[in-house]
Amino acid sequence: MAIKNKSLQLMGALAAATLALASCGTTSGNNNPGATAKTEIGAGEGQVSILGWPGYVEDGTNDPKVDWVTKFEKDTGCQVDFKPFGTSDEAVTLMRTGQYDVISASGDASLRLIAGGDVQAVNTGLLKNYPDVYPFLKDKAWNTVDGKNYGMPHGWGANLLMYRTDKVVPAPTSWGSVFGDAATYSGKVTAYDSPIYIADAALYLMKHQPDLNIKNPYALDSTQLAAAVSLLKEQRKHVGEYWSDVVKEVQSFTTGSSVIGTTWQVGANIAVADGAQVQTLLPEEGATGWSDTWMIGSKTKNPNCSYKWLDYIASPEANAQVAEYFGESPANPKACALTADKQHCETFHSGDESYAKQIWYWTTPVANCLDGRKDAKCTDYSEWTKAWTEIKG
């Protein structure tokens, strides 16, 4: 099936699942009661409940041709109960109920779950597919704390700059086109609707206002946060639409109501399939992005099935299907040989470590500065949430 149709089905499900919930603050460190990882995987308990982004756990219901869950169930005897979520804030809130065994957590959720004791450390030595995962996705701030791994890396991608080639001339090279120069496209700028978007502004300031001394866009003290908020308030005057549903964002580019703004590569693919004259780029400053991690709940009653899911979903066969259906780079390079579109991994820069190094992956802002500063207190996600409300007015 063409990527356009697959993506439309997927993103339609995402739109239906989207639910904005209040978020909680986070501190760093590890107070996780499940910090001792398993030493062996036993027989499956017969069931596993999974929280995930729509498109990560497909059993043929949305499309009979898209199904990697059935094989898992047959191979392991673990029956999957899946609940999709629409935002990272919703994911954290649901996981904190203790009702779910496994979650696909983006970096703006994972540290909150670790700090809250909602997920457990994982013995990656029990996961046979873990050694094959790209090294640049392992042992990162969003999935490893105090030397303990908290899950299996999944897909990843960048938050790119997209523009209408017939409306934006000359072609942009910098995020300045949606910050300092946003007035040029006033009313037709689009931006991602989430407190984590503050990091995009911080990344821009990191490169263009070095006196602020921003070293990590997710580690902002009160002065640095205020500067990012000020930039975003100025941008707000020119934003025509904030988006969380990529299909709606694509439609706005197709109609011309938006001509420039942040997007995901899958959104660009849909837009091109719809005939929109758009291009994407990774600007000269780099970009924010996401690297998702499969994590296991600290209160799970089905640890064996949970481990079996983490290993299965990173297998070349399953990882290829998920990455292609969702629209992202797989975590396992062996998946690249198994995608239906043989150009998929090239399109999504899979294995391109130099490209990946330009991405600041979503990481939950915490009070203990992620840039290593000991003489400063950084703003946590609750403060970013308050600031985002203020920015949008």
Side-chain angles (χ1 to χ4, degrees):
M1 179 176 294
I3 188 168
K4 171 186 174 183
N5 293 331
K6 290 191 294 187
S7 299
L8 285 173
Q9 289 178 344
L10 165 61
M11 295 307 172
L14 178 59
T18 299
L19 175 65
L21 298 179
S23 60
C24 300
T26 307
T27 57
S28 64
N30 177 21
N31 58 3
N32 190 335
T36 302
K38 283 172 67 65
T39 57
E40 62 180 1
I41 302 176
E45 298 86 0
Q47 59 197 5
V48 62
S49 57
I50 301 175
L51 277 174
W53 291 105
Y56 272 9
V57 187
E58 292 294 316
D59 63 358
T61 301
N62 291 322
D63 183 339
K65 298 178 181 178
V66 181
D67 180 3
W68 49 88
V69 169
T70 298
K71 184 178 187 303
F72 170 77
E73 293 176 332
K74 289 180 178 178
D75 290 350
T76 65
C78 302
Q79 297 301 303
V80 171
D81 181 21
F82 172 55
K83 181 176 179 60
F85 55 77
T87 69
S88 287
D89 290 345
E90 182 186 359
V92 171
T93 300
L94 289 169
M95 196 63 184
R96 285 180 173 168
T97 66
Q99 298 176 25
Y100 302 94
D101 301 311
V102 175
I103 182 172
S104 65
S106 294
D108 57 337
S110 55
L111 284 185
R112 282 185 276 172
L113 294 171
I114 294 170
D118 304 298
V119 292
Q120 61 179 269
V122 169
N123 182 354
T124 57
L126 299 179
L127 305 172
K128 65 179 183 296
N129 288 299
Y130 187 80
D132 292 332
V133 170
Y134 288 119
F136 57 82
L137 300 179
K138 299 177 181 178
D139 304 318
K140 298 302 180 183
W142 60 87
N143 59 29
T144 304
V145 173
D146 295 336
K148 296 184 177 69
N149 294 113
Y150 281 84
M152 175 68 87
H154 187 69
W156 62 277
N159 297 316
L160 300 169
L161 179 63
M162 183 162 71
Y163 65 98
R164 282 278 299 256
T165 58
D166 58 334
K167 303 292 185 180
V168 178
V169 179
T173 60
S174 165
W175 287 112
S177 58
V178 295
F179 289 121
D181 297 331
T184 305
Y185 314 104
S186 190
K188 295 182 180 296
V189 175
T190 187
Y192 188 54
D193 191 1
S194 170
I196 206 68
Y197 183 66
I198 292 172
D200 291 58
L203 175 62
Y204 176 76
L205 292 172
M206 184 167 66
K207 302 295 184 179
H208 295 277
Q209 291 191 27
D211 57 303
L212 288 169
N213 202 31
I214 298 173
K215 302 300 183 183
N216 181 322
Y218 304 101
L220 306 180
D221 59 34
S222 57
T223 299
Q224 294 165 338
L225 177 64
V229 169
S230 178
L231 181 63
L232 289 166
K233 283 184 175 179
E234 183 61 30
Q235 183 197 51
R236 176 70 182 92
K237 300 174 184 177
H238 309 293
V239 171
E241 179 183 30
Y242 288 98
W243 68 273
S244 57
D245 179 350
V246 74
V247 170
K248 291 182 180 179
E249 186 217 16
V250 167
Q251 291 171 346
S252 71
F253 270 88
T254 301
T255 62
S257 58
S258 293
V259 300
I260 194 166
T262 186
T263 194
W264 300 328
Q265 184 61 48
V266 65
N269 293 347
I270 297 170
V272 170
D274 284 345
Q277 299 180 55
V278 301
Q279 286 190 9
T280 60
L281 72 148
L282 187 73
E284 58 192 23
E285 298 90 355
T288 61
W290 76 93
S291 175
D292 293 344
T293 303
W294 285 104
M295 311 180 88
I296 299 175
S298 57
K299 299 178 182 179
T300 179
K301 296 180 181 179
N302 303 298
N304 295 326
C305 281
S306 297
Y307 263 79
K308 290 176 185 291
W309 175 262
L310 262 63
D311 201 28
Y312 173 79
I313 203 63
S315 66
E317 297 80 7
N319 204 214
Q321 293 178 75
V322 179
E324 193 164 19
Y325 184 68
F326 188 83
E328 62 187 359
S329 171
N332 188 337
K334 292 182 178 180
C336 291
L338 301 176
T339 55
D341 175 7
K342 297 309 177 185
Q343 300 301 312
H344 178 85
C345 284
E346 180 179 350
T347 299
F348 288 88
H349 300 274
S350 304
D352 186 345
E353 190 167 356
S354 62
Y355 181 89
K357 284 181 177 179
Q358 299 177 66
I359 302 172
W360 288 88
Y361 298 98
W362 283 345
T363 305
T364 308
V366 294
N368 291 344
C369 298
L370 295 170
D371 58 8
R373 281 182 289 173
K374 303 299 182 183
D375 58 348
K377 179 181 179 182
C378 281
T379 52
D380 66 16
Y381 192 75
S382 67
E383 293 174 86
W384 284 40
T385 301
K386 293 176 184 176
W388 187 244
T389 301
E390 181 183 337
I391 290 163
K392 292 186 65 179

